[in-house]
Amino acid sequence: MKQLIPILILLIFAGTSMAQQISIIPKPAEMSVKSGSFLLDNNCVLNYDNENTEVSRIATFFSDYLAEVYDVKLATEGSGNKISFKIMSRLNLGKEGYLLKVDKNSVVITASEPSGLFYGMQSLKQLIPAEASNALSIPCIDIKDQPRFAWRGNMLDVGRHFFPVSFIKQYLDILAMYKINTFHWHLTEDQGWRIEIKKYPLLTEISHWRDETRVGHQRDGNEMDGIGYGGFYTQDQCREIVRYAAERYITVVPEIEMPGHSSAALAAYPNLGCTGGPYKVVGEWGVFKDVYCAGKEETFTFLQDVLDEVMDIFPSEFIHVGGDECPKDAWEECEACQKRIADEGLKNEHELQSWLITRMDQYLTSKGRRLIGWDEILEGGLAPQATVMSWRGIKGGIEAAKQHHDVVMSPTTHMYIDYYQSEDKKNEPLAIGGFLPLEKVYSYEPVPEELTSDEAKYILGVQTNLWTEYIATTKKVEYMLLPRLQAEAEVAWTPKELKDFDDFGNRLNEDYKRLEKLGIHFRNHNK
């Protein structure tokens, strides 16, 4: 018996060592690690159906990644060990699920649809050690995996600060690494209109440009930098982003703010406001009283024209219309708005906003699309087909789900990644405020306890939001995004009973090595 103890210890240590090599984020639903490993080198053969365009593209993504990052060039034919990508329609894993099987002689990823193959490929990439000496080895393993939620989202605000197309593509690549499938692109704001609308050229002549920007934090003073700032995406560039995202199985959901956060648009078209202006593209941060006039028909002509061009660019089912933080001051003093309230039999300005959102909901529905808005769209009554993005806590999400409306959970308490990552704010870059550490993001449960099992079905998923008032550079975007994005990814994908923060932290440490190898900026949660 005594002779067996050292052997058992060795076996336990070997098993632990092997387990530590598995650092897939988000953690798969089912995983079985086996003995041995697959040698990955230039003798390996890439095997796939080259008549299937999507499968071919996914296999090429993988081979290009190996060549660029590890200088391994897979063969297209030969007798070496095979890495295979296979579509098998009879798998019962949904459109995003996959099987990944690694043994000593082969690697096989199987899925019923290409999106599942793509996610299996992302897991396979994470099985490759970031730090390798002479040979790359992949542990033998069986994985059966599929996501918990259909909506796994991230929002990037480009209204406050603008980022080039090249970076948006890099950003999408980062989202894809962690199986995020929805990119919510916040394109219009008080501080800048960022999308070309051909019918309204002044939006990209006037509305994209502000004369100056706030220096430091909004609460610390009134200093402005006196430097002009602007930028916008052409429609062709937006289509390129949509195409690029689709190749990575990411849906781009555009946001066109209404009725508030509209100073920039009003600066170009003052007739759309209640007073006729003058208005300006603002350089401060905050909430402003200049909003679209809900009493004028020309407002709806403008908004519908804009949405027509947006829908022509973005094929997404959902179109985000904002609906948040809309002061009612201008409406209270506006004859046209008060007449609208009277003519429509509305009680107050809150019901006027609901009437506006309902009208846009009907318009989008008539075009075969679905309206989604921030949880203020509940005020005054929820539009019949609307989906709610719950950001002011979880109350709005609960209320919408109980009314049998779809919900995306995105509360400030857990999902606002423009907040500080440390309580020691002096050693952190300037942020909007708040404190959202990695562990709190990871701890989030998207399905509120207050919902019944039937009501819980209306929770589509979860989303992190990255507002950019205080984020002007691409490096800072990455710093604020990572590693909190990885935590959200696990919240959105992994069965909640498998979540374990200590285990996640261990996998994250290996992931940091990959990010360094790829030249991606991040904040190390250990420091």
Side-chain angles (χ1 to χ4, degrees):
M1 180 66 182
K2 290 182 179 180
Q3 292 178 335
L4 288 175
I5 291 176
I7 297 174
L8 289 171
I9 291 173
L10 285 172
L11 288 172
I12 292 170
F13 177 80
T16 302
S17 176
M18 179 61 71
Q20 288 175 343
Q21 294 179 45
I22 309 304
S23 57
I24 299 172
I25 298 174
K27 188 174 185 178
E30 296 181 33
M31 184 170 62
S32 175
V33 182
K34 301 184 177 182
S35 62
S37 61
F38 176 91
L39 180 62
L40 181 60
D41 58 21
N42 293 332
N43 294 317
C44 291
V45 178
L46 188 62
N47 183 45
Y48 60 93
D49 178 6
N50 57 19
E51 293 185 1
N52 186 313
T53 303
E54 290 190 77
V55 175
S56 178
R57 185 179 65 246
I58 294 164
T60 302
F61 274 154
F62 182 67
S63 63
D64 288 348
Y65 173 81
L66 288 180
E68 180 179 351
V69 179
Y70 294 98
D71 197 29
V72 171
K73 297 177 177 59
L74 299 179
T76 55
E77 56 183 24
S79 58
N81 292 344
K82 285 187 170 61
I83 300 176
S84 302
F85 292 81
K86 297 181 178 180
I87 292 291
M88 188 178 295
S89 58
R90 66 177 180 271
L91 287 181
N92 188 28
L93 289 173
K95 67 178 184 178
E96 295 182 310
Y98 66 91
L99 301 175
L100 171 56
K101 183 178 180 61
V102 181
D103 60 34
K104 293 179 182 180
N105 301 311
S106 67
V107 174
V108 181
I109 302 175
T110 311
S112 59
E113 296 194 26
S115 54
L117 276 189
F118 182 80
Y119 295 132
M121 182 266 291
Q122 295 293 352
S123 293
L124 177 58
K125 284 163 56 178
Q126 292 185 342
L127 288 173
I128 304 170
E131 296 179 337
S133 52
N134 297 322
L136 294 176
S137 63
I138 301 174
C140 292
I141 191 169
D142 284 349
I143 294 174
K144 182 180 181 181
D145 199 14
Q146 62 186 124
R148 182 182 177 197
F149 291 104
W151 186 298
R152 305 182 301 281
N154 172 267
M155 187 281 299
L156 179 65
D157 163 32
V158 297
R160 277 55 176 256
H161 282 100
F162 176 82
F163 304 100
V165 169
S166 58
F167 177 70
I168 299 299
K169 289 181 177 181
Q170 293 174 36
Y171 194 88
L172 290 167
D173 285 337
I174 293 171
L175 300 187
M177 287 168 59
Y178 303 107
K179 304 181 177 73
I180 300 297
N181 67 355
T182 305
F183 174 51
H184 174 178
W185 203 7
H186 187 84
L187 289 164
T188 71
E189 255 305 334
D190 291 297
Q191 296 83 10
W193 182 285
R194 304 297 180 206
I195 179 172
E196 176 190 25
I197 302 298
K198 294 185 183 297
K199 194 167 186 177
Y200 297 95
L202 295 183
L203 293 172
T204 43
E205 291 179 24
I206 295 174
S207 301
H208 84 96
W209 185 265
R210 59 180 182 256
D211 292 334
E212 54 187 357
T213 301
R214 171 72 67 188
V215 174
H217 201 283
Q218 185 80 7
R219 62 172 176 260
D220 294 334
N222 297 315
E223 184 182 356
M224 306 296 286
D225 63 10
I227 302 171
Y229 183 94
F232 66 88
Y233 305 97
T234 67
Q235 293 195 1
D236 285 344
Q237 287 175 324
C238 290
R239 288 189 176 91
E240 173 63 14
I241 291 298
V242 169
R243 182 199 63 77
Y244 192 88
E247 289 180 348
R248 288 148 183 81
Y249 301 94
I250 295 173
T251 298
V252 182
V253 175
E255 180 176 351
I256 306 298
E257 275 275 12
M258 62 183 79
H261 290 287
S262 50
S263 299
L266 296 179
Y269 296 96
N271 58 301
L272 301 177
C274 291
T275 67
Y279 305 104
K280 70 171 185 175
V281 184
V282 297
E284 301 90 353
W285 316 125
V287 177
F288 301 90
K289 295 180 180 180
D290 295 329
V291 304
Y292 291 119
C293 179
K296 296 178 180 177
E297 277 304 303
E298 57 194 304
T299 297
F300 294 93
T301 299
F302 170 82
L303 292 174
Q304 290 173 4
D305 288 343
V306 168
L307 289 178
D308 283 344
E309 293 195 30
V310 167
M311 287 186 283
D312 186 59
I313 299 166
F314 298 92
S316 56
E317 178 184 11
F318 289 96
I319 303 293
H320 206 298
V321 299
D324 62 312
E325 298 177 326
C326 178
K328 309 301 190 294
D329 306 59
W331 290 357
E332 291 170 359
E333 303 296 328
C334 175
E335 290 184 7
C337 288
Q338 292 303 310
K339 185 176 186 301
R340 180 79 75 184
I341 289 173
D343 290 347
E344 298 296 334
L346 308 175
K347 294 179 181 178
N348 51 36
E349 288 74 22
H350 291 294
E351 287 197 0
L352 179 59
Q353 176 166 326
S354 175
W355 180 87
L356 181 150
I357 295 296
T358 298
R359 184 164 170 177
M360 303 315 298
D361 178 45
Q362 292 169 344
Y363 187 74
L364 289 171
T365 300
S366 74
K367 301 291 184 178
R369 305 300 184 93
R370 296 179 64 186
L371 179 147
I372 183 169
W374 302 106
D375 57 49
E376 284 94 332
I377 67 173
L378 282 154
E379 297 170 3
L382 189 55
Q385 305 301 322
T387 295
V388 171
M389 190 165 277
S390 188
W391 75 279
R392 297 177 301 174
I394 64 174
K395 183 180 177 182
I398 293 170
E399 184 179 344
K402 285 184 174 295
Q403 294 182 39
H404 295 180
H405 282 254
D406 287 336
V407 176
V408 176
M409 299 302 288
S410 189
T412 58
T413 53
H414 293 78
M415 293 289 121
Y416 267 50
I417 57 175
D418 56 334
Y419 288 9
Y420 283 101
Q421 301 185 68
S422 169
E423 290 184 288
D424 182 13
K425 297 177 182 178
K426 292 181 179 179
N427 292 319
E428 285 286 305
L430 181 66
I432 197 167
F435 170 46
L436 183 57
L438 180 69
E439 188 168 4
K440 189 168 185 180
V441 178
Y442 191 82
S443 71
Y444 184 57
E445 169 49 46
V447 180
E449 294 178 354
E450 292 86 342
L451 299 181
T452 66
S453 57
D454 285 338
E455 292 166 346
K457 295 175 183 177
Y458 292 96
I459 304 298
L460 298 181
V462 65
Q463 177 173 295
T464 44
N465 297 322
L466 189 51
W467 302 101
T468 63
E469 288 94 332
Y470 301 98
I471 304 175
T473 68
T474 57
K475 280 191 174 181
K476 190 171 179 182
V477 169
E478 293 177 351
Y479 180 88
M480 299 299 282
L481 181 70
L482 305 166
R484 290 181 290 189
L485 180 77
Q486 291 98 309
E488 183 228 339
E490 197 138 307
V491 169
W493 183 282
T494 304
K496 64 179 180 178
E497 63 271 15
L498 295 183
K499 289 173 59 189
D500 180 289
F501 184 73
D502 290 336
D503 171 61
F504 172 71
N506 290 334
R507 284 178 284 124
L508 198 55
N509 289 330
E510 182 66 23
D511 197 49
Y512 289 155
K513 298 174 187 176
R514 281 190 285 269
L515 293 174
E516 288 175 346
K517 196 175 188 69
L518 295 171
I520 298 172
H521 205 52
F522 62 93
R523 184 189 187 278
N524 191 322
H525 77 286
N526 299 303
K527 297 179 181 179

